[in-house]
Every structure is written in C-alpha cells, then in structure tokens.
C-alpha cells in the first residue's frame, strides 16, 4: 500500500519515522493513502475477506504481515427498544467491547504495533487512561516487544489496569493526569527510550478507520444520518472522518453522515469551542469525570475532530456523569449490551441532543460504544443496588427475593 506521512497543518512531507509532530510548524501528522488503483471498484469487492480491520487492508499503511488478534468484526446491534424509548426512528449500537482486549483501541493497535515491528523497534510505550495501555500490552506480547505504559495515578479502571499488568507491560503510574503522562511519554520517545503508540502516531487512526468502514459494510452501504462518538483524545472521530472521505473520494459513498462528538461535562474543551464556532480550543486544566477513559483536558487530535464535526454538519455536546450512568444502565437493562461509562457517553449524548431538538426523530443514528462494561466493574457495583443475602435454603432465598 502506497502512502505518505504529512503534516496535517502545513502539508510538509515527513521523512523521519520517529516524529510525532511536524518539525516545521509543530502541526499534527496524518497519512495520505494512495488509492487510485481502487478506482472503478466497489466496497462489495472486499467482502471475500472476513470482516475485521484487515478486510480494509487497501486502506492501511502496512506492507508486511500484520500482528493481529483478529480485531474488529464487532456486532452492530439494532436497539429497537431503546430507539422506541427515545422516540428515534433507528438506533444502532456498534459494540466495540467485543474486540480482543475489550475496546476499539485494538483496531489502531494492530496497525501501530505492526508498524513498530516494520521499523525494527524493540520497546513500545504509551500514556493512557487505560484502554490504550491494555491493548498495547496485548499486541506487544503477541509481537514479542517490550512495553511500557504510563497511567494517571488512581484514575484507571481496574479491568484495564489488570490487563496491562497481565500482558506483561511495565506499568508506571505517574503523579498527574493523562495530559501529564502524554507529555512524559513524548519525552521518552524523543530521547529514543521507546516507540510511542499514542494516537498522535498517525498509524493508529489508520487502523481505527476500520470502525467506520465496518458500520457502512454492516448497513449494506446504506448511509446512516449520524454516527455518534464519545470523545477523549479525539482521534477516533477524526479517524471516522478520514475513512469516510477516502470512500467518498473513490465514489464508494456520496453523502457523509453527521459526525457527532460527546464529551464528559468536566472534560469538554472541544464542546466549548464548538459552541463558539472556533476551529481551535483551550485545554481544560483539571479534567474530571466518572468516565475515566475520557478524562482528558488537552485532546491531542482536538483540531482534527472539530474539522470532522464542522465538515459533516455534526455537533459536539457534553453530558453529565449522571446522564452517562443513566444511559449505561438503560442500554444494559433494556438491550443486554454492557458498555463502560465513557462508551455510554455517546448514548447519553443522543438523548440530550434529542431533548434539545438537535437530533430529529426521523434520523437513523449509530452510536459507537467503545469499551466493555467489565473494564470498570467498580463503577458498576457502586451504582447498583445491594446484593441480597440469604442462608443456604430455598425458603430463605424465596424470602429475600420477594421482599
Ligand atoms: C472507552 O486509553 O485515551 O477520542 O488512553 O477508552 O479517540 O481518544 C481512551 C479513550 C472513548 C476516547 N471511549 O477516544 C486511552 C484513551 C473509550 C476510551 C475514548 C477512549 P478518543
């Protein structure tokens, strides 16, 4: 697959494989895929390969055999009961919890870790609110690479922490938030201590494009009106935009769905700039939310995400912790779909935007639910009722369940 790494801001071609920003203007990096060989084909032609990230190999900047755990190919649920509850024509949930490590990060990591192997790197690393570290640790294990992950101390859900430790990463908690951890891991990457696989590495969003490709594939290429993403570091919604533009450029699709981003109220720098029509943003100093995955004040791909939203006629909105937990439980108890709090932000965002009349009742909406409920069991238990206790007799169990 032919491609060039470029600065997204000034267009400069980037030759050095180890940069995470433009050496001229400090802009973020992106990858231009050469797709002309696909002119005259259709996305149906890809269906001979199993669904998953590598069905879309033509759109991935990888030339070698991928390091893969069979990521992608996650369910797209038609949530009829929830749609009826909200008064919406159609509501699909793309359940990314069904990925190998339980989050969408695996889509970017199969590409990112394969890239690390192509470059001959021996140590990979990232800063993470949890899911990126769990995913990187697993793919590094598969590839036989050493792995270092930097986590904000005390703010990583236990399932994610367990995964990173389990897969053998060196797990370091830093005294600060995600934004601090990202600053430090960049320094380590610049001094050659490790190859950084945060989403500022442009190979990561390339893999995450497959999420949008799959949604269209699973809808038989009938475009939904809107795709809703939870937004933290903002790479995922940007990746969707890039994916859709590539298919549009090939004439595989016409219109783009309205890309809609949802942040947690205490960590919502992009919502504030969207409200003012600005294309840049002011970082939030002390981000806070129960949805620790998106507890990020300075989203690395924030400007790109704003472009994605403006250019598709979408919106950015913020939801409260209460709205997030309510949406998480509603989805679980009405549809049997278990997602972590950050993922439920997309569902909560739909409700909020419908209440405000910004999503119309006739729309067909896809919500991306990015991670599994088991990632954060403590939040679930804290928000459920008590466990019932009984002695080991049918009589006593009958007593407690009927009271
Ligand atoms: C479940 O793992 O940033 O807007 O370090 O884990 O692309 O950042 C996680 C982000 C949404 C936000 N949902 O995606 C990390 C990390 C879940 C997440 C997001 C994350 P981006």
């Amino acid at each position: 697959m032919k491609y060039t790494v470029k600065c997204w801001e000034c267009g400069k071609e980037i030759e050095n494989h180890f940069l995470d920003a433009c050496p001229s203007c400090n802009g973020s990096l992106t990858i231009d895929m050469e797709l002309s060989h696909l002119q005259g084909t259709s996305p149906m032609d890809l269906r001979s390969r199993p669904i998953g990230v590598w069905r879309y190999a033509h759109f991935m900047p990888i030339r070698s055999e991928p390091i893969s755990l069979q990521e992608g190919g996650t369910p797209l649920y038609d949530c009829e009961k929830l749609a009826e509850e909200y008064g919406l024509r159609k509501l699909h949930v793309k359940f990314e919890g069904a990925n190998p490590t339980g989050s969408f990060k695996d889509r970017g990591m199969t590409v990112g870790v394969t890239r690390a192997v192509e470059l001959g790197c021996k140590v990979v690393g990232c800063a993470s609110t949890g899911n990126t570290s769990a995913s990187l640790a697993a793919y590094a294990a598969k590839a036989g690479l050493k792995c270092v992950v930097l986590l904000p101390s005390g703010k990583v859900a236990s399932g994610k922490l367990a995964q990173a430790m389990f897969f053998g990463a060196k797990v370091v908690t830093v005294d600060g938030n995600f934004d601090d951890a990202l600053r430090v891991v960049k320094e380590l990457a610049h001094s050659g201590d490790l190859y950084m696989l945060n989403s500022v590495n442009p190979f990561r969003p390339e893999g995450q494009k497959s999420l949008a490709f799959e949604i269209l594939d699973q809808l038989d290429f009938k475009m939904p009106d809107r795709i809703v993403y939870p937004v933290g570091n903002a790479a995922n919604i940007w990746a969707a935009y890039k994916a859709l533009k590539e298919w549009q450029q090939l004439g595989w699709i016409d219109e783009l769905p309205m890309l809609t981003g949802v942040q947690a109220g205490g960590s919502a720098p992009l919502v504030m700039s969207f409200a003012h029509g600005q294309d840049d943003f002011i970082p939030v100093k002390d981000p806070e939310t129960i949805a620790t995955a998106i507890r990020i004040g300075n989203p690395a791909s924030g400007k790109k995400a704003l472009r994605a939203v403006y250019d598709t006629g979408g919106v950015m909105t913020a939801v409260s912790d209460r709205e997030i937990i309510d949406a998480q439980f509603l989805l679980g108890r009405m549809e049997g779909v278990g997602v972590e709090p950050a993922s439920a932000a997309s569902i909560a965002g739909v409700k909020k935007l419908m209440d405000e009349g910004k999503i119309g009742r006739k729309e067909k909406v896809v919500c991306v639910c990015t991670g599994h409920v088991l990632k954060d069991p403590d939040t679930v238990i804290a928000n459920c009722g008590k466990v019932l206790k009984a002695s080991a007799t049918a009589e006593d169990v009958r007593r407690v369940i009927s009271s």
Side-chain angles (χ1 to χ4, degrees):
M1 314 305 150
K2 282 195 186 157
Y3 62 88
T4 23
V5 180
K6 280 188 174 168
C7 172
W8 182 71
E9 301 272 0
C10 75
K12 183 187 167 74
E13 273 195 37
I14 309 293
E15 311 278 346
N16 181 337
H17 302 316
F18 298 96
L19 296 180
D20 55 59
C22 176
S24 306
C25 75
N26 205 35
S28 70
L29 306 185
T30 189
I31 295 180
D32 263 12
M33 294 298 302
E34 162 60 47
L35 298 171
S36 56
H37 63 289
L38 292 172
Q39 289 294 344
T41 63
S42 104
M44 290 293 282
D45 299 334
L46 305 179
R47 284 198 172 167
S48 54
R49 297 182 189 224
I51 192 160
V53 173
W54 297 100
R55 172 178 281 187
Y56 314 101
H58 289 293
F59 300 86
M60 302 299 153
I62 290 297
R63 302 182 180 118
S64 55
E65 191 56 34
I67 307 292
S68 173
L69 293 167
Q70 300 182 29
E71 49 292 317
T74 57
L76 183 70
Y77 295 123
D78 185 352
C79 293
E80 290 184 350
K81 285 198 277 181
L82 190 57
E84 198 184 323
E85 170 80 14
Y86 284 173
L88 190 59
R89 179 159 154 226
K90 207 65 163 159
L91 180 59
H92 279 100
V93 165
K94 180 67 169 161
F95 180 52
E96 287 293 291
N99 274 297
T101 76
S103 86
F104 75 98
K105 302 287 182 184
D106 296 343
R107 296 178 181 274
M109 226 40 102
T110 180
V111 173
V113 170
T114 305
R115 176 63 178 166
V117 171
E118 280 184 356
L119 291 173
C121 302
K122 300 286 177 247
V123 187
V124 291
C126 68
S128 178
T129 57
N131 280 324
T132 301
S133 69
S135 183
L136 180 58
Y139 283 83
K142 173 88 177 169
L145 303 177
K146 292 202 170 104
C147 177
V148 181
V149 304
L150 272 59
L151 309 177
S153 120
K155 292 290 180 181
V156 173
S158 60
K160 306 172 189 183
L161 183 63
Q163 285 178 296
M165 294 168 75
F166 172 72
F167 289 121
K170 283 210 162 87
V171 178
V172 185
T173 62
V174 301
D175 186 14
N177 59 31
F178 169 82
D179 305 299
D180 298 313
L182 184 61
R183 174 177 47 77
V184 176
V185 85
K186 277 184 183 171
E187 258 185 72
L188 293 171
H190 296 164
S191 54
D193 292 277
L194 51 80
Y195 181 67
M196 184 176 57
L197 277 165
N198 279 93
S199 56
V200 289
N201 181 322
F203 287 76
R204 280 265 321 274
E206 292 302 303
Q208 288 171 204
K209 290 188 305 191
S210 64
L211 212 175
F213 292 149
E214 258 179 35
I215 290 171
L216 300 191
D217 214 328
Q218 289 169 313
L219 293 173
D220 287 325
F221 312 107
K222 289 187 199 81
M223 193 60 67
D225 296 301
R226 188 183 300 273
I227 307 181
V228 187
Y229 281 81
V231 172
N233 229 3
N236 210 24
I237 192 167
W238 154 252
Y241 177 67
K242 191 167 188 293
L244 294 160
K245 291 296 272 190
E246 287 174 1
W247 279 22
Q248 191 182 45
Q249 186 193 323
L250 284 169
W252 286 9
I253 54 174
D254 302 322
E255 302 277 294
L256 301 193
M258 294 176 271
L259 291 176
T260 297
V262 186
Q263 295 198 289
S267 315
L270 302 179
V271 177
M272 270 184 257
S273 44
F274 177 82
H276 296 104
Q278 292 155 346
D279 54 16
D280 205 349
F281 64 94
I282 302 165
V284 168
K285 258 221 164 81
D286 294 305
E288 206 43 84
T289 168
I290 198 166
T292 52
I294 53 173
R295 185 175 172 270
I296 295 173
N298 187 13
S301 300
K303 280 178 83 174
K304 288 170 163 168
L306 286 165
R307 170 82 63 84
V309 171
Y310 288 129
D311 200 44
T312 58
V315 292
M316 292 275 330
T317 193
V319 290
S320 68
D321 284 359
R322 184 72 259 155
E323 289 167 323
I324 287 173
I325 297 300
D326 286 349
Q328 184 193 20
F329 275 75
L330 192 64
L331 180 65
R333 293 182 175 186
M334 200 168 256
E335 299 286 351
V337 179
V339 306
E340 66 168 287
S343 309
S346 62
I347 305 281
V350 167
K351 172 155 179 24
K352 175 146 194 213
L353 291 168
M354 286 200 69
D355 290 346
E356 293 173 354
K358 291 180 186 154
I359 291 183
R361 293 183 174 280
K362 295 216 167 112
E363 286 190 23
K364 293 184 189 169
V365 176
V366 177
C367 272
V368 176
C369 284
T370 40
H372 201 286
V373 65
L374 293 175
K375 291 282 192 173
D376 190 354
D378 305 318
T379 302
V380 170
I381 291 168
N383 285 284
C384 284
K386 283 207 181 83
V387 174
L388 306 172
K389 288 199 173 112
S391 58
T393 63
E395 192 188 6
D396 204 36
V397 171
R398 211 172 286 126
R399 179 187 63 79
V400 298
I401 61 178
S402 62
S403 62

